[in-house]
Amino acid sequence: MQSDTLTTNTPAGQLWTGRIMSGLVVAFLIFDGGIKLAPLGIVTETMQQLGYSGSPELARGLGVMTLVIALLYALPRTSVLGAILLTGLLGGAMATHLRVGSPVFSHLFFGLYLGLLAWGGLYLRDPRLRRLIPFRLGA
Protein backbone atom coordinates (compact mmCIF):
# COMPACT_ATOMS: atom_id res chain seq x y z
CA MET A 1 0.00 0.00 0.00
CA GLN A 2 2.88 2.36 0.67
CA SER A 3 4.04 2.23 -2.95
CA ASP A 4 0.57 3.43 -4.05
CA THR A 5 0.96 6.49 -1.83
CA LEU A 6 4.42 7.16 -3.23
CA THR A 7 3.38 6.89 -6.87
CA THR A 8 0.26 9.09 -6.53
CA ASN A 9 2.36 12.05 -5.29
CA THR A 10 4.91 11.76 -8.10
CA PRO A 11 4.21 12.53 -11.76
CA ALA A 12 4.71 9.47 -13.97
CA GLY A 13 7.56 10.95 -16.04
CA GLN A 14 9.44 12.01 -12.93
CA LEU A 15 8.88 8.63 -11.28
CA TRP A 16 10.16 6.72 -14.33
CA THR A 17 13.16 9.02 -14.72
CA GLY A 18 14.04 8.36 -11.09
CA ARG A 19 13.57 4.62 -11.52
CA ILE A 20 15.82 4.57 -14.59
CA MET A 21 18.52 6.60 -12.84
CA SER A 22 18.33 4.33 -9.79
CA GLY A 23 18.30 1.24 -12.01
CA LEU A 24 21.54 2.33 -13.65
CA VAL A 25 23.13 2.73 -10.22
CA VAL A 26 21.93 -0.70 -9.10
CA ALA A 27 23.13 -2.30 -12.36
CA PHE A 28 26.59 -0.79 -11.88
CA LEU A 29 26.76 -1.89 -8.24
CA ILE A 30 25.73 -5.46 -9.12
CA PHE A 31 28.38 -5.58 -11.84
CA ASP A 32 31.05 -4.08 -9.57
CA GLY A 33 30.18 -6.34 -6.64
CA GLY A 34 29.89 -9.40 -8.88
CA ILE A 35 33.31 -9.08 -10.48
CA LYS A 36 34.86 -8.75 -7.03
CA LEU A 37 33.37 -12.12 -6.05
CA ALA A 38 34.94 -13.91 -9.02
CA PRO A 39 38.67 -14.63 -8.81
CA LEU A 40 39.61 -12.35 -11.71
CA GLY A 41 43.19 -11.24 -12.19
CA ILE A 42 42.15 -7.74 -13.23
CA VAL A 43 40.46 -7.18 -9.84
CA THR A 44 43.57 -8.27 -7.91
CA GLU A 45 45.82 -6.21 -10.18
CA THR A 46 43.66 -3.08 -9.85
CA MET A 47 43.51 -3.40 -6.08
CA GLN A 48 47.30 -3.63 -5.93
CA GLN A 49 47.60 -0.51 -8.12
CA LEU A 50 45.32 1.29 -5.67
CA GLY A 51 47.53 0.33 -2.75
CA TYR A 52 45.55 -2.58 -1.32
CA SER A 53 46.82 -6.09 -0.89
CA GLY A 54 45.80 -8.28 -3.76
CA SER A 55 44.15 -10.76 -1.44
CA PRO A 56 41.02 -12.37 -2.86
CA GLU A 57 39.42 -12.21 0.60
CA LEU A 58 39.55 -8.41 0.61
CA ALA A 59 38.03 -8.24 -2.86
CA ARG A 60 35.28 -10.69 -1.88
CA GLY A 61 34.49 -8.65 1.23
CA LEU A 62 34.18 -5.49 -0.84
CA GLY A 63 32.05 -7.38 -3.36
CA VAL A 64 29.64 -8.64 -0.71
CA MET A 65 29.43 -5.18 0.85
CA THR A 66 28.70 -3.61 -2.55
CA LEU A 67 25.97 -6.15 -3.31
CA VAL A 68 24.34 -5.60 0.10
CA ILE A 69 24.36 -1.83 -0.48
CA ALA A 70 22.84 -2.38 -3.95
CA LEU A 71 20.06 -4.48 -2.42
CA LEU A 72 19.35 -1.91 0.30
CA TYR A 73 19.26 0.90 -2.26
CA ALA A 74 17.00 -1.06 -4.63
CA LEU A 75 14.34 -1.83 -2.01
CA PRO A 76 11.96 1.11 -1.43
CA ARG A 77 11.78 0.60 2.35
CA THR A 78 15.56 0.74 2.76
CA SER A 79 16.55 2.92 -0.20
CA VAL A 80 17.57 5.94 1.90
CA LEU A 81 19.77 3.75 4.10
CA GLY A 82 21.26 2.22 0.95
CA ALA A 83 21.97 5.69 -0.47
CA ILE A 84 23.67 6.75 2.77
CA LEU A 85 25.84 3.62 2.82
CA LEU A 86 26.58 4.05 -0.89
CA THR A 87 27.72 7.60 -0.20
CA GLY A 88 30.22 6.26 2.34
CA LEU A 89 31.45 3.60 -0.06
CA LEU A 90 31.91 6.13 -2.84
CA GLY A 91 33.69 8.54 -0.49
CA GLY A 92 36.20 5.81 0.35
CA ALA A 93 36.70 5.07 -3.34
CA MET A 94 37.26 8.75 -4.08
CA ALA A 95 39.75 9.04 -1.22
CA THR A 96 41.63 6.04 -2.57
CA HIS A 97 41.83 7.54 -6.06
CA LEU A 98 42.93 10.88 -4.62
CA ARG A 99 45.68 9.17 -2.60
CA VAL A 100 47.15 7.35 -5.60
CA GLY A 101 46.87 10.31 -7.97
CA SER A 102 44.28 8.89 -10.38
CA PRO A 103 42.97 11.10 -13.18
CA VAL A 104 40.44 13.54 -11.75
CA PHE A 105 37.47 13.54 -14.14
CA SER A 106 37.51 9.87 -15.16
CA HIS A 107 38.50 8.12 -11.91
CA LEU A 108 38.35 10.44 -8.90
CA PHE A 109 35.05 12.09 -9.80
CA PHE A 110 33.39 8.83 -10.90
CA GLY A 111 32.24 8.37 -7.31
CA LEU A 112 30.75 11.85 -7.37
CA TYR A 113 28.95 11.15 -10.65
CA LEU A 114 27.53 7.87 -9.34
CA GLY A 115 26.50 9.45 -6.04
CA LEU A 116 24.69 12.28 -7.82
CA LEU A 117 22.92 9.75 -10.03
CA ALA A 118 21.92 7.66 -7.00
CA TRP A 119 20.62 10.56 -4.90
CA GLY A 120 19.01 12.23 -7.92
CA GLY A 121 17.14 9.06 -8.82
CA LEU A 122 15.99 8.58 -5.25
CA TYR A 123 14.94 12.23 -5.00
CA LEU A 124 12.83 11.99 -8.16
CA ARG A 125 11.05 8.80 -7.11
CA ASP A 126 10.53 9.41 -3.37
CA PRO A 127 8.21 12.23 -2.26
CA ARG A 128 9.31 11.77 1.37
CA LEU A 129 12.86 12.75 0.40
CA ARG A 130 11.54 15.71 -1.59
CA ARG A 131 9.61 16.89 1.47
CA LEU A 132 12.69 16.45 3.64
CA ILE A 133 14.94 18.37 1.21
CA PRO A 134 12.74 20.82 -0.72
CA PHE A 135 14.53 22.52 -3.60
CA ARG A 136 12.88 25.79 -4.46
CA LEU A 137 13.73 27.10 -7.91
CA GLY A 138 13.13 30.71 -8.77
CA ALA A 139 12.23 33.59 -6.47
Side-chain angles (χ1 to χ4, degrees):
M1 197 56 123
Q2 184 182 8
S3 64
D4 292 339
T5 304
L6 293 177
T7 56
T8 58
N9 296 336
T10 305
Q14 180 177 324
L15 179 65
W16 279 102
T17 301
R19 285 177 177 168
I20 290 168
M21 291 169 66
S22 295
L24 290 171
V25 171
V26 170
F28 173 78
L29 292 175
I30 290 171
F31 170 76
D32 187 53
I35 65 168
K36 287 183 173 91
L37 294 179
L40 299 175
I42 188 70
V43 173
T44 306
E45 183 180 313
T46 302
M47 289 185 67
Q48 286 174 343
Q49 291 172 354
L50 293 173
Y52 296 105
S53 72
S55 78
E57 293 80 25
L58 179 61
R60 278 194 288 277
L62 286 171
V64 168
M65 183 173 63
T66 302
L67 291 173
V68 168
I69 290 171
L71 178 65
L72 289 171
Y73 179 74
L75 298 173
R77 287 182 165 242
T78 58
S79 58
V80 173
L81 174 61
I84 292 168
L85 294 174
L86 176 58
T87 302
L89 178 72
L90 295 174
M94 289 176 67
T96 296
H97 283 289
L98 180 65
R99 185 179 53 79
V100 299
S102 295
V104 175
F105 292 103
S106 61
H107 291 66
L108 178 63
F109 282 175
F110 184 78
L112 175 66
Y113 306 146
L114 192 62
L116 289 172
L117 191 63
W119 279 103
L122 186 56
Y123 189 84
L124 289 175
R125 64 186 171 98
D126 192 338
R128 298 169 302 168
L129 186 59
R130 290 193 304 276
R131 281 192 301 271
L132 182 65
I133 309 170
F135 286 111
R136 297 193 188 353
L137 300 177

